[in-house]
Amino acid sequence: MTSTRISGDRVWDWLIRFITSETFIYVVKRILQALLTLLLASALSFFIMKLSPGNYVDTLRQNPKISPERITELIKQFGLDKPWIEQYWLWLGRIVTKGDFGTSFVYQRSVASLLWERIPATLILAIASLVITWAIAIPLGIVAAVKQNKATDRILQVISYTGQGFPSFITVLFLLIFAQFTTPLFPVGGMTSIDHADLSWFGKILDLGWHMILPTIALSITSFAGLQRIMRGELLDVLRQDYIQTARAKGLPENRVIYVHALRNAINPLITLLGFELAGLLGGAFIAEQFFNWPGLGRLTLQAVIAKDQYLVMASLVMSAVLLNIGNLMADLLLKVADPRIRLDT
């Protein structure tokens, strides 16, 4: 009985310390800020959609096969006969009370089900691009800093400037031309092959990875070029600091000076950029998904904007804002883990 009470007291003490900790308070604060951001993002996207000329029903009126009675029925079904403000608050109320984002005009399906189908495809592409970008750009940035003003550094700078100078859509077009010349080596349509369902689990992973090669490269090139330059600049700044010179004067091996003392401090600003990197990749996914026929959130949003699918556009933009807030929060928490001296703003 006594041991059970002691165990319960320990759990209660740990829970109190956790709730009152700096990290927990910071996370709660960021979540509250994110909710306000999502509210503003949803309102902005709604009124932009309404201010643009025409709507989904206007396109249906041009179809002689659809009767005026059916048009009137659709207007009432989607609540388009109500004032703008009332439409927005009804939509927002359904989200808060029922988790219902409405019904897609085009697909005649729940918007939530469409989003859950597409979000994994976009996240897979963005995360793969993020991993590849960091795995290549960080080591090359370190090499460029260590070999400053030498041939290796100059070559890497040329590669970096070239990568940043190409817009995403130009990069995608070059990759499509490359795929055409190397067909059928690199597929450009969809994220799986026709016989995907008949493959083993390992075969399915290989098939998905095979289809991801070109879209991932398209997303990674610009990010890689910028990240490499930032890594080079940050490491050069740290290597000029007095404590690095002191470490060298004490006779520490150069590898230890660079990879233990200098790199640990140079990497912090890059971790801060992690959230923005994720947001940039999600934005760039719109172009890559459209050109490579990748069934992700970006392509779905673009199609919804063209079709004036009001509720689908709003929900897609809100979901993009959710992913952006998650990415920024993860970056802040990783920065705290990497450098315990940093205090989170509470």
Side-chain angles (χ1 to χ4, degrees):
M1 184 71 177
T2 304
S3 62
T4 304
R5 183 181 302 148
I6 293 173
S7 178
D9 290 341
R10 287 177 178 173
V11 172
W12 181 250
D13 291 340
W14 176 87
L15 185 60
I16 291 175
R17 286 197 302 270
F18 175 73
I19 293 174
T20 57
S21 66
E22 176 190 11
T23 303
F24 180 80
I25 295 173
Y26 178 77
V27 170
V28 170
K29 180 181 177 181
R30 288 295 299 270
I31 290 174
L32 294 175
Q33 291 174 346
L35 292 176
L36 178 60
T37 302
L38 296 178
L39 177 63
L40 295 175
S42 65
L44 183 62
S45 62
F46 176 81
F47 288 109
I48 288 176
M49 285 290 295
K50 286 299 183 181
L51 288 171
S52 62
N55 56 39
Y56 176 70
V57 176
D58 290 337
T59 61
L60 294 180
R61 287 194 177 99
Q62 301 173 11
N63 189 345
K65 296 182 180 179
I66 300 178
S67 64
E69 292 78 13
R70 177 57 178 164
I71 297 292
T72 305
E73 181 184 339
L74 288 172
I75 291 174
K76 291 182 178 179
Q77 176 185 342
F78 293 114
L80 300 178
D81 55 337
K82 296 180 173 62
W84 291 6
I85 297 293
E86 187 177 351
Q87 289 182 44
Y88 174 72
W89 285 113
L90 287 173
W91 176 77
L92 193 62
R94 287 199 303 268
I95 294 176
V96 174
T97 58
K98 303 177 182 179
D100 180 15
F101 285 89
T103 303
S104 167
F105 297 173
V106 175
Y107 295 94
Q108 293 292 307
R109 287 178 52 193
S110 164
V111 168
S113 66
L114 287 168
L115 293 179
W116 287 121
E117 285 179 3
R118 300 300 185 97
I119 288 174
T122 296
L123 284 179
I124 288 173
L125 202 59
I127 292 173
S129 176
L130 196 65
V131 170
I132 291 173
T133 299
W134 279 61
I136 297 175
I138 299 299
L140 290 184
I142 295 171
V143 170
V146 173
K147 304 290 185 180
Q148 184 186 13
N149 297 328
K150 295 181 180 178
T152 303
D153 181 30
R154 293 194 178 96
I155 292 172
L156 289 175
Q157 286 192 59
V158 170
I159 294 173
S160 175
Y161 282 116
T162 303
Q164 282 193 302
F166 277 92
S168 298
F169 69 92
I170 296 294
T171 303
V172 170
L173 289 176
F174 273 121
L175 289 174
L176 287 174
I177 294 171
F178 172 75
Q180 182 180 5
F181 282 114
T182 58
T183 186
L185 186 59
F186 298 105
V188 295
M191 59 187 294
T192 56
S193 302
I194 298 175
D195 60 344
H196 182 79
D198 300 328
L199 300 174
S200 64
W201 67 269
F202 185 68
K204 290 179 179 179
I205 293 174
L206 290 179
D207 184 46
L208 176 61
W210 182 40
H211 283 76
M212 286 176 60
I213 293 175
L214 292 184
T216 303
I217 293 174
L219 279 178
S220 301
I221 287 179
T222 304
S223 299
F224 149 77
L227 192 64
Q228 177 195 319
R229 289 185 61 202
I230 294 172
M231 181 71 254
R232 176 184 181 274
E234 292 294 336
L235 187 57
L236 285 175
D237 286 341
V238 173
L239 288 174
R240 297 189 186 103
Q241 299 297 318
D242 292 339
Y243 73 91
I244 296 296
Q245 304 304 324
T246 302
R248 284 171 171 163
K250 288 181 177 180
L252 291 179
E254 186 67 12
N255 285 342
R256 182 175 177 81
V257 171
I258 293 173
Y259 295 107
V260 176
H261 296 281
L263 184 59
R264 184 174 181 180
N265 291 287
I267 203 74
N268 286 348
L270 276 75
I271 296 176
T272 306
L273 293 174
L274 181 62
F276 298 101
E277 277 289 310
L278 180 59
L281 290 172
L282 291 172
F286 279 69
I287 298 174
E289 289 176 5
Q290 184 65 23
F291 277 88
F292 290 105
N293 199 27
W294 188 269
L297 182 61
R299 188 162 179 262
L300 179 69
T301 304
L302 182 60
Q303 292 171 343
V305 170
I306 295 172
K308 300 283 186 180
D309 197 340
Q310 174 179 301
Y311 297 127
L312 183 53
V313 171
M314 292 164 60
S316 298
L317 293 176
V318 168
M319 195 56 60
S320 297
V322 169
L323 296 175
L324 170 60
N325 279 280
I326 291 174
N328 287 331
L329 179 59
M330 288 176 57
D332 290 343
L333 296 178
L334 285 173
L335 188 60
K336 173 69 174 177
V337 172
D339 191 348
R341 298 171 299 173
I342 295 175
R343 288 183 57 84
L344 295 172
D345 181 17
T346 57

